[in-house]
Amino acid sequence: MRYFFPILFLALAAVLVSKFIRLFISGKLFDEGAIKESFRESGQTLWLGMRLFVIIWFIYLITVWAIKNC
């Protein structure tokens, strides 16, 4: 737990910096709504990833249950 929050903070900082660098390289950093749209896309990607994880987790649980009971 001692190293969890610093690593979490570094990961969050790396994500933020990478987003700003990507917008800077593409020349859209100062466009109106570009930053907001970039974070909106990240939120959608994160949400889809979490849903996929839950679906795969349920498939794993069903498979383990089927193997133990059949």
Side-chain angles (χ1 to χ4, degrees):
M1 198 67 180
R2 177 179 177 184
Y3 298 110
F4 176 73
F5 288 112
I7 292 172
L8 182 65
F9 176 73
L10 287 175
L12 182 62
V15 169
L16 291 174
V17 168
S18 70
K19 291 206 170 294
F20 283 112
I21 289 174
R22 189 182 70 179
L23 288 173
F24 178 74
I25 290 173
S26 67
K28 297 180 181 181
L29 183 60
F30 298 109
D31 289 350
E32 184 176 340
I35 296 174
K36 186 177 182 180
E37 185 63 31
S38 175
F39 284 107
R40 181 176 290 133
E41 290 172 5
S42 296
Q44 290 173 347
T45 303
L46 180 65
W47 179 245
L48 289 174
M50 289 188 299
R51 289 188 341 198
L52 181 64
F53 172 77
V54 168
I55 290 169
I56 291 173
W57 183 59
F58 278 141
I59 291 171
Y60 167 76
L61 289 177
I62 291 169
T63 305
V64 168
W65 177 82
I67 290 172
K68 286 184 178 181
N69 292 325
C70 292

